[in-house]
């Protein structure tokens, strides 16, 4: 069951609740909004097409990865199905110099940052623990320990502050940091400590919570009795809730929060209200804990369908455009398949690489020990 | 006789403890409706209710810290940490609070808490899902640490751990979860909780292991017979306290000792066993104590874990080193 945390358990009533920010209805109708429209007034036909492309391609990356897992090419995959708009909206609000601290599910954010999706597969295939250079695209490694990255993001933001890369008015210099995490993560001490740090240091960090309603089998009500975005007020910074299946709304609220951070006005918590359509990971069986009707309810709010409807309605794209994106997503999937199978297994001795910057003599001795041991088999075979 | 795997055995043990003592509680992430990610607690919430099988918020420090309070109030919480690598957010509560409360209170307070941790590698998992953190807890006075290696022990040891008035870290060898065995569910435990056991007798060398490596060592012992080598295999079962008398007794006969574990080598359980056996059996030893362990690296990506983990060949290689000395 999805909890309607829009109802105030403390008895404050729904009337005091700010609305969910929504700029595009599930039917694809544009909802005018005095405040947020200005934040996306540059989004014309070309831009909406680009967003649509991001949504479709990131979904295709995801479905292909699920398929690769089913074929035994990946040990595990954490699907983002249903969360594309939250990720693309926030991801496209970032500037080059901004820095992202993701969980293990932020494949579409990685896409927006320019990380080759094939590089995401290594962790799940078991050939590495993060195959991309986090400095190249300012996209940190995936973090599996729930909530840990929110503190890293906050510390990074404190570094930005010390470097004076804030509030200068230079759009290529002022820097924001964003931490992604789930609804379950909000229960962790680390996340609460990150909120405290960010608040008292006024760090330029945006906490982007994808409330997908479930932490594996546990519904939101197992983690909280108040709507998550409201937590922020207790820590001393603003929080808001956005329709996480509405890419325009996610883009608008993220742009605003990131700009606040860059301007030196401190942290914001964004709760993207969305839904995890797939299993938690490929090892999970959601039929044990949730109802099919819930899925149906959320299917009607699909983040891609509504953009498509909006485009068709406004004559922003014809069939040829949709076909092109479809063809592009096919070749992206093909790239993923090929690249995945070509990811080389690491050599056994590689486990000793990078344990330290300066390798220690005892560790080098263990590496030699392993090598001698493994070579003894080759020698035997040669005989 | 019933045939059960380790998962079902722990489940049956938990069930029995809950039936016998209404103060026994189960708490953890996903333990209720889902029955745990490994289904170890499957069906328990349905039968004992949400007050006794508690789906907690996603917060390990919270799980352990509230268990401290519940234990102070007379309950016997059994906490599940979902995977080995996630014990660390709860580590502070375990080593600073759980381990010391009895001592600090001059014996007035007891914390009968069990902390269950599926641990170890070999299942092709992603990072943080294949670690062997037991030595951190063995190093902490005030905690008892055990690891079962077969279904019968799993069944009895979990019940004994729950009955213990001291906090017990209960390490479950997740890659052996589906190993089956026949045993008697009724009756009483064949052994006290903190005793080691000779699982196979032999004369040429002693091989000591625990948890997931017991099976590997038994396989190695079987393979060794083809070379006319007779290995004695001992399952430690309890890592804190260690019951080394059977090990000393064995080493005095065989003169050779190989200690095997998945965890990193340096300051691991093997180091303690080697030191103590050297102290006790110095004149009986024909060779230095050999350790066959994981390497001193972070647990590696799944595709190379077979090279990190001791396997049958590496155990035999260790035996060779002890024998050819
Ligand atoms: C510290 C820690 N404890 C437990 C886990 C096991 N685990 C992995 S994902 C997950 C649920 C996370 O839920 P949420 O934060 O809502 O994010 P979502 O996966 O739904 O995106 C759990 C319990 C973990 N990875 N880290």
């Amino acid at each position: 069951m999805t909890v309607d945390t829009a109802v105030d358990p403390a008895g404050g009533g729904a009337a005091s609740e700010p609305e969910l920010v929504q700029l595009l209805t599930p039917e694809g109708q544009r909802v005018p909004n005095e405040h947020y429209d200005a934040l996306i007034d540059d989004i014309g036909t070309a831009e909406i097409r680009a967003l649509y492309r991001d949504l479709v391609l990131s979904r295709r990356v995801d479905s292909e990865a699920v398929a690769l897992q089913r074929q035994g090419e990946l040990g595990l995959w954490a699907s983002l199905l249903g969360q594309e708009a939250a990720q693309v909206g926030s991801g496209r609000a970032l500037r080059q110099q901004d820095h992202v601290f993701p969980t293990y599910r932020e494949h579409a954010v990685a896409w927006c940052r320019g990380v080759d999706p094939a590089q995401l597969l290594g962790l799940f295939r078991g050939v590495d623990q993060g195959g991309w250079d986090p400095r190249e695209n300012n996209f940190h490694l995936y973090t599996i320990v729930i909530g840990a990255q929110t503190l890293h993001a906050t510390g990074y933001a404190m570094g930005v502050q010390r470097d004076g890369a804030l509030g200068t008015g230079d759009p290529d210099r002022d820097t924001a940091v964003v931490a992604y995490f789930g609804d379950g993560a909000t229960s962790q001490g680390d996340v609460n400590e990150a909120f405290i740090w960010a608040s008292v240091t006024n760090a330029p960090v945006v906490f982007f919570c994808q409330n997908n309603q479930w932490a594996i089998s546990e519904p939101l009500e197992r983690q909280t009795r108040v709507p998550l975005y409201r937590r922020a007020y207790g820590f001393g910074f603003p929080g808001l809730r956005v329709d996480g299946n509405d890419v325009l709304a996610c883009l608008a609220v993220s742009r605003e929060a990131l700009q606040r951070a860059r301007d030196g006005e401190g942290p914001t918590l964004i709760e993207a209200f969305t839904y995890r359509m797939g299993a938690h990971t490929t090892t999970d069986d959601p039929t044990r804990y949730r109802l099919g009707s819930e899925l149906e309810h959320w299917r009607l709010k699909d983040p891609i369908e509504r953009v498509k409807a909006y485009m068709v309605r406004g004559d922003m794209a014809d069939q040829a455009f949709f076909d092109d994106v479809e063809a592009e997503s096919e070749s992206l999937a093909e790239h993923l398949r090929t690249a995945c199978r070509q990811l080389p297994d690491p050599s056994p001795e590689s486990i000793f690489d990078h344990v330290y910057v300066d390798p220690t003599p005892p560790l080098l001795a263990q590496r030699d020990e392993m090598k001698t041991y493994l070579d003894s088999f080759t020698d035997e075979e040669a005989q | 006789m019933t045939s059960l795997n380790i998962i079902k055995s722990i489940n049956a043990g938990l069930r029995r403890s809950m039936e016998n003592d209404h103060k026994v509680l189960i708490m953890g992430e996903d333990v209720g409706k889902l029955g745990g990610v490994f289904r170890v607690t499957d069906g328990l919430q349905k039968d004992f209710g949400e007050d006794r099988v508690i789906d907690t918020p996603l917060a390990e420090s919270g799980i352990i810290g509230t268990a401290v309070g519940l234990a102070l109030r007379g309950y016997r919480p059994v906490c599940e940490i979902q995977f080995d690598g996630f014990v660390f957010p709860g580590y502070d509560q375990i080593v600073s609070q759980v381990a010391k409360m009895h001592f600090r209170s001059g014996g007035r307070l007891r914390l009968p808490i069990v902390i269950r941790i599926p641990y170890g590698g070999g299942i092709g998992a992603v990072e943080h899902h294949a670690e062997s953190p037991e030595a951190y807890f063995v190093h902490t006075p005030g905690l008892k640490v055990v690891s079962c290696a077969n279904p019968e022990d799993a069944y009895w040891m979990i019940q004994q751990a729950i009955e213990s008035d001291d906090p017990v870290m209960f390490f479950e060898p997740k890659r052996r979860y589906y190993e089956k065995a026949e045993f008697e569910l009724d009756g009483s435990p064949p052994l006290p909780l903190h005793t080691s056991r000779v699982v196979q007798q032999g004369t040429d060398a002693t091989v000591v292991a625990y948890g997931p490596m017991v099976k590997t060592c038994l396989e190695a012992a079987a393979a060794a017979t083809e070379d006319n080598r007779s290995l004695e295999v001992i399952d430690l079962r309890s890592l804190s306290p260690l019951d080394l008398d059977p090990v000393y007794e064995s080493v005095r006969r065989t003169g050779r000792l190989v200690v095997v574990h998945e965890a990193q080598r340096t300051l691991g359980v093997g180091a303690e066993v080697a030191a103590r056996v050297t102290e006790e059996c110095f004149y009986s030893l024909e060779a230095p104590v050999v350790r066959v362990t994981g390497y001193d690296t972070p647990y590696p990506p799944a595709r190379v874990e077979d090279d990190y983990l001791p396997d049958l060949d590496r155990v035999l290689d260790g035996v060779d080193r002890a024998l050819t000395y």
Side-chain angles (χ1 to χ4, degrees):
Chain A
M1 172 188 66
T2 310
V3 205
D4 186 6
T5 46
V7 179
D8 184 354
S16 62
E17 202 66 40
E19 303 240 322
L20 180 82
V21 179
Q22 188 184 71
L23 302 179
L24 200 57
T25 68
E27 294 74 32
Q29 230 138 16
R30 189 66 174 75
V31 188
N33 182 301
E34 239 174 72
H35 179 73
Y36 288 107
D37 282 351
L39 281 147
I40 52 162
D41 60 6
D42 61 322
I43 305 293
T45 300
E47 291 76 16
I48 197 81
R49 285 174 169 220
L51 288 171
Y52 176 83
R53 176 178 170 270
D54 289 335
L55 292 168
V56 171
L57 294 191
S58 52
R59 178 171 291 185
R60 191 69 183 90
V61 166
D62 188 70
S63 63
E64 194 54 36
V66 171
L68 285 165
Q69 195 280 334
R70 298 273 181 262
Q71 293 156 24
E73 298 291 340
L74 302 177
L76 183 84
W77 182 253
S79 166
L80 64 48
L81 186 64
Q83 301 180 215
E84 296 87 350
Q87 294 192 19
V88 169
S90 56
R92 285 298 177 207
L94 295 161
R95 295 209 185 124
Q96 189 66 39
Q97 72 273 20
D98 296 336
H99 203 105
V100 176
F101 287 83
T103 72
Y104 41 80
R105 207 188 289 283
E106 266 67 80
H107 320 310
V109 184
W111 168 259
C112 294
R113 288 266 87 183
V115 177
D116 177 350
Q119 291 188 309
L120 305 174
L121 301 180
L123 173 72
F124 298 98
R125 186 172 169 86
V127 302
D128 61 49
Q129 295 175 337
W132 59 96
D133 182 349
R135 295 161 308 182
E136 206 169 280
N137 301 295
N138 284 354
F139 184 78
H140 193 71
L141 299 181
Y142 276 1
T143 304
I144 288 178
V145 178
I146 298 297
Q149 75 283 5
T150 56
L151 281 165
H152 309 159
T154 304
Y156 192 95
M158 290 162 64
V160 167
Q161 228 170 11
R162 275 157 185 70
D163 293 345
L166 275 188
T168 67
D170 177 352
D172 297 325
R173 177 174 162 85
D174 293 344
T175 300
V177 183
V178 53
Y180 286 88
F181 54 100
D183 42 294
T186 60
S187 297
Q188 289 283 356
D190 276 4
V191 175
N192 288 273
E193 292 179 33
F195 288 174
I196 291 168
W197 246 259
S199 171
V200 301
T201 63
N202 209 40
V205 56
V206 174
F207 295 108
F208 196 91
C209 176
Q210 286 167 82
N211 174 1
N212 67 8
Q213 314 300 328
W214 292 91
I216 309 189
S217 73
E218 300 195 355
L220 186 60
E221 72 211 42
R222 277 279 131 200
Q223 317 291 341
T224 187
R225 293 296 302 276
V226 297
L228 290 176
Y229 72 91
R230 274 218 235 148
R231 293 260 183 101
Y233 295 92
F235 288 95
F237 54 90
L240 62 106
R241 179 183 279 176
V242 61
D243 181 340
N245 288 16
D246 171 355
V247 71
L248 291 181
C250 289
L251 179 67
V253 301
S254 301
R255 278 181 170 181
E256 182 172 48
L258 289 163
Q259 195 50 44
R260 277 195 69 230
R262 293 186 205 107
D263 288 343
E265 288 168 32
T268 307
L269 170 63
I270 297 173
E271 176 191 355
F273 203 75
T274 181
Y275 191 78
R276 185 193 86 210
M277 294 299 286
H280 168 69
T281 66
T282 42
T283 59
D284 176 39
D285 173 13
T287 61
R288 285 181 78 105
Y289 54 80
R290 73 182 187 194
L291 300 171
S293 57
E294 186 178 307
L295 209 62
E296 283 318 307
H297 171 78
W298 279 91
R299 210 184 296 282
L300 299 173
K301 304 182 182 212
D302 187 79
I304 300 186
E305 286 310 315
R306 73 174 74 178
V307 177
K308 190 170 185 181
Y310 173 56
M311 292 168 80
V312 171
R313 193 185 296 260
D315 255 347
M316 287 175 262
D318 54 13
Q319 195 52 42
F321 167 76
F322 294 116
D323 291 346
D324 281 353
V325 175
E326 191 49 38
E328 196 183 352
S329 84
E330 260 324 304
S331 50
L332 180 61
E334 175 59 38
H335 160 65
L336 218 58
R337 279 194 290 275
T338 317
C340 178
R341 296 199 170 95
Q342 284 170 355
L343 283 173
D345 279 1
S347 74
E349 291 105 284
S350 71
I351 71 172
F352 296 97
D353 299 342
H354 314 305
V355 179
Y356 300 101
V357 176
D358 293 321
T360 64
L363 200 64
L364 294 175
Q366 282 191 15
R367 188 179 68 188
D368 290 345
E369 177 195 313
M370 177 198 252
K371 198 167 158 10
T372 312
Y373 173 71
L374 293 175
D375 286 351
S376 72
F377 290 94
T378 341
D379 295 347
E380 268 169 36
E381 277 158 28
Q383 276 166 15
Chain B
M1 296 286 256
T2 316
S3 176
L4 293 180
N5 66 26
I6 291 187
I7 290 176
K8 296 231 160 91
S9 301
I10 298 172
N11 182 281
L14 289 168
R15 176 176 291 278
R16 219 169 112 151
S17 295
M18 295 188 83
E19 280 164 359
N20 291 345
D21 182 351
H22 70 283
K23 294 289 192 186
V24 175
L25 305 176
I26 289 178
M27 47 202 287
E29 296 154 13
D30 304 293
V31 295
K33 205 155 193 183
L34 189 65
V37 291
F38 290 106
R39 310 287 181 262
V40 173
T41 53
D42 203 14
L44 297 177
Q45 187 180 66
K46 194 164 115 298
D47 296 341
F48 295 97
E50 292 187 15
D51 265 1
R52 291 193 63 198
V53 181
I54 307 162
D55 269 330
T56 66
L58 205 179
E60 289 75 13
S61 185
I63 294 170
I64 310 293
T66 56
V68 169
L70 282 158
L72 291 175
R73 182 71 192 177
Y75 288 89
R76 304 183 90 84
V78 182
C79 305
E80 175 176 297
I81 298 294
Q82 201 157 72
F83 280 93
D84 34 52
F86 307 137
V87 69
F88 297 106
Y91 186 70
D92 165 51
Q93 285 288 340
I94 298 172
V95 302
S96 314
Q97 305 299 329
V98 173
K100 295 187 175 130
M101 199 68 86
H102 185 65
F103 187 75
R104 286 172 55 221
S105 68
R108 286 180 205 87
L109 303 178
R110 292 178 180 189
L111 294 183
I113 297 172
V114 176
I115 299 169
R116 294 184 34 240
I117 307 180
Y119 83 118
I123 63 162
V126 294
E127 53 175 349
H128 308 291
H129 291 73
E131 299 175 13
S132 299
E134 61 272 16
Y136 295 105
F137 303 102
V138 174
H139 196 65
T140 304
L143 300 175
K144 291 185 171 166
V145 183
V146 302
S147 178
C148 55
N150 62 59
E152 183 170 15
D153 271 352
Y155 175 69
W156 290 112
M157 287 169 74
I158 188 66
Q159 296 178 60
Q160 293 169 314
I162 292 169
E163 279 162 23
S164 164
D165 282 336
D166 285 310
V168 179
M169 305 295 298
F170 193 87
F171 282 93
E172 302 170 4
K174 71 169 95 80
R175 78 154 123 161
R176 306 294 182 213
Y177 263 163
Y178 300 97
E179 300 283 330
K180 274 186 155 189
E182 286 210 339
F183 65 96
E184 206 68 66
L185 284 178
D186 296 320
S188 47
L191 281 176
L193 183 58
H194 299 292
T195 42
S196 53
R197 179 175 57 199
V198 177
V199 282
Q200 178 175 310
Q201 293 185 333
T203 51
D204 295 335
T206 305
V207 179
V208 164
Y210 57 87
M213 282 292 114
V214 173
K215 178 164 191 260
T216 307
C217 292
L218 286 171
E219 286 166 358
T225 57
E226 285 167 28
D227 294 329
N228 289 320
R229 280 178 178 167
S230 154
L231 303 183
E232 180 138 311
V233 180
I234 298 181
D235 176 2
L236 287 176
R237 298 172 80 251
S238 176
L239 309 181
S240 178
L242 277 167
D243 171 28
L244 292 183
D245 285 340
V247 178
Y248 302 150
E249 196 276 320
S250 175
V251 170
R252 286 190 187 109
R253 279 189 291 105
T254 64
R256 294 176 159 86
L257 175 63
V258 179
V259 196
V260 184
H261 57 63
E262 287 189 19
Q264 291 85 353
R265 184 177 308 165
T266 299
L267 287 180
V269 171
E272 180 64 20
V273 173
R276 303 239 314 250
V277 167
T278 309
E279 284 173 1
E280 289 295 322
C281 308
F282 187 69
Y283 291 106
S284 310
L285 282 169
E286 309 274 353
V289 178
V290 171
R291 282 175 290 169
V292 179
T293 66
Y295 298 101
D296 289 332
T297 71
Y299 197 87
R303 294 267 171 154
V304 262
E305 68 180 339
D306 287 347
D307 292 296
Y308 172 89
L309 292 167
D311 60 2
L312 184 149
D313 285 330
R314 269 178 69 200
V315 174
L316 289 177
D317 183 68
V319 170
D320 275 348
R321 273 184 283 143
L323 279 165
T324 53
Y325 201 78

